[in-house]
Amino acid sequence: MKYKYNPLKGLKTFLILWATQMISNLGSQMTSFALIIWSYEQKGSALTTALLSICSYAPYIVLSIFAGALSDKWNKKYTMLFCDTFAAVTTVAVLALLKTGNLEIWHLYVLNALNGVMNTVQQPASDVSVSLVTPKHQYQRVSGLRAFSNSLVNILTPVIASAVLAFAGLEAVIAIDLITFLTAFLVLAFFIRIPEIVREREEHRESLLQSAKTGLKYLADNRGILDLMLFLAAINLTASMYNAALPAMVLSRAAGGQTVLGMINTCVGAANLIGSIMVSLLPAPKSRVRTIMNALLFSMSTENLCIALGRGPLIWYTGAVLGWLFIPVFSGNMDVLFRSRIPVSMQGRVFSARNTLQFFTIPLGYLLGGVLVDYVCEPLMAMQKDNSLLIRIFGSEKGSGAALLFFGIAILGIVTCLIFRRDKHIWQLEEKVQGL
């Protein structure tokens, strides 16, 4: 009998978990998208919407290094169920405040901060769970599938959320979020088995502080992985400034608006979708590090310039596609480097240290983006004369200041990629993952 190759062999448990978590993530992202639009409509400020993300990330970054130690000690499945339930409770609170006419932006800041605390524990538990239910030879395909689901969510979120928001209101968006949560919760609770890690007796006796130090020591002893995380921290600074400025520019310009913002997000999702399919189907590259570097350099040198210099939706859509097409290629290869080099028993602690080091620039970037748009770039553009160079390049209407910021972001991203491309410790990772 002729052997028939099955590319999904050994992935049954992962596929069930992946599909249901994707549905739940779609509901959550729809609510986030709708609340960003609601917040901007209340105040018309980039900083106001940026603070939503800052409140989510700040506790996540501060507490992550300790939460990973807890994640390594606790049952992964129960941890994920508890954190998902807590997130659903905060969503119910938003719905109750909205229905009674009492919802204020500061409520969202508090609830996002509480969700950020839960995410500090949930994220490493989820990442380790993927390693536990996935054969090692399937790591790249799993990374591609996870990028695929994220891309699909990015495509569907603005389309569905905008339609539901227009025809049924914010309450309906939140109701869909709760339904998708319940679906994922029931499947995880009753149909998914996540193996537990067999731990050494010494690891069981480690205190919370000792466990956190173990994760940091691992990074100190593995400079290639540490420097790669620092590279991504620098990229995240640029990316979060982009995220803070985008709604302000698109919602302010005459050629923009809510529909255009949704279409940009849809283009991002479509580009990610194509990129994730490439990662899932293509063989491993000869050089994962070179692939990571080239993908990020291409992204940084295309999208931000298109958005900065473009005056209409078509060039913005083009920039979104170019900027995000190779992001799944970058993230998939990075994921393989991390999972193949870090022992599973250490991944919770190391991934949490990664979250602190790699993501601490995100709230900083959101804050910088919001402040620079509202208090530096927009006032600067308002002071320009009609025939000035900046007016000719970026325009004179509201949103031109955000376009100016995007030009600066483009330069920052390119310089960052070129600097870290010369890091010898990152390139040494190539020698340690041959054959993966």
Side-chain angles (χ1 to χ4, degrees), residues 7 19 43 113 172 252 260 288 319 423:
K43 299 291 184 180
S252 298
V260 174
R288 293 195 185 277
D423 189 311

Side-chain angles (χ1 to χ4, degrees), residues 294-317:
N294 290 343
L296 286 177
L297 181 60
F298 183 83
S299 177
M300 293 293 106
S301 60
T302 52
E303 180 182 20
N304 292 318
L305 287 176
C306 286
I307 292 178
L309 303 177
R311 297 293 184 89
L314 184 58
I315 188 66
W316 298 338
Y317 300 157

Side-chain angles (χ1 to χ4, degrees), residues 139-140 143-144 147 279 288 327-337:
Y139 279 173
Q140 178 166 323
S143 296
V279 174
R288 293 195 185 277
I327 292 300
V329 177
F330 134 72
S331 61
N333 282 279
M334 179 195 68
D335 193 56
V336 172
L337 285 178

Side-chain angles (χ1 to χ4, degrees), residues 425-436:
H425 299 291
I426 294 177
W427 285 99
Q428 286 171 357
L429 291 173
E430 289 290 315
E431 304 169 5
K432 302 176 181 179
V433 293
Q434 292 179 355
L436 288 173

Side-chain angles (χ1 to χ4, degrees), residues 127-295:
D127 285 340
V128 177
S129 294
V130 170
S131 296
L132 290 172
V133 300
T134 303
K136 286 188 176 181
H137 70 277
Q138 294 282 24
Y139 279 173
Q140 178 166 323
R141 179 162 285 109
V142 162
S143 296
L145 288 171
R146 295 179 81 190
F148 175 87
S149 63
N150 290 335
S151 306
L152 190 59
V153 167
N154 285 337
I155 293 174
L156 296 177
T157 292
V159 175
I160 300 176
S162 296
V164 175
L165 198 59
F167 292 104
L170 184 54
E171 295 95 334
V173 175
I174 295 175
I176 292 174
D177 185 5
L178 294 173
I179 292 171
T180 58
F181 150 75
L182 185 61
T183 301
F185 180 90
L186 293 175
V187 171
L188 178 58
F190 297 107
F191 298 100
I192 299 291
R193 179 184 175 274
I194 299 176
E196 280 299 299
I197 301 172
V198 178
R199 307 183 61 80
E200 300 293 335
R201 181 175 295 179
E202 290 78 9
E203 291 179 301
H204 279 295
R205 289 200 297 261
E206 277 187 339
S207 69
L208 193 61
L209 184 59
Q210 288 173 330
S211 295
K213 286 181 177 179
T214 302
L216 290 174
K217 185 178 184 304
Y218 180 89
L219 290 177
D221 293 338
N222 292 267
R223 277 292 304 277
I225 292 177
L226 174 61
D227 288 3
L228 185 57
M229 291 178 182
L230 294 176
F231 175 35
L232 297 177
I235 292 296
N236 283 336
L237 177 68
T238 304
S240 52
M241 291 172 68
Y242 162 96
N243 289 331
L246 185 64
M249 192 197 80
V250 176
L251 294 175
S252 298
R253 292 206 152 183
Q258 179 180 324
T259 301
V260 174
L261 179 61
M263 279 300 300
I264 291 175
N265 287 332
T266 299
C267 289
V268 168
N272 268 315
L273 192 67
I274 296 171
S276 62
I277 292 173
M278 288 166 37
V279 174
S280 300
L281 298 180
L282 292 177
K286 292 182 179 179
S287 171
R288 293 195 185 277
V289 172
R290 181 171 286 106
T291 300
I292 290 171
M293 296 295 179
N294 290 343

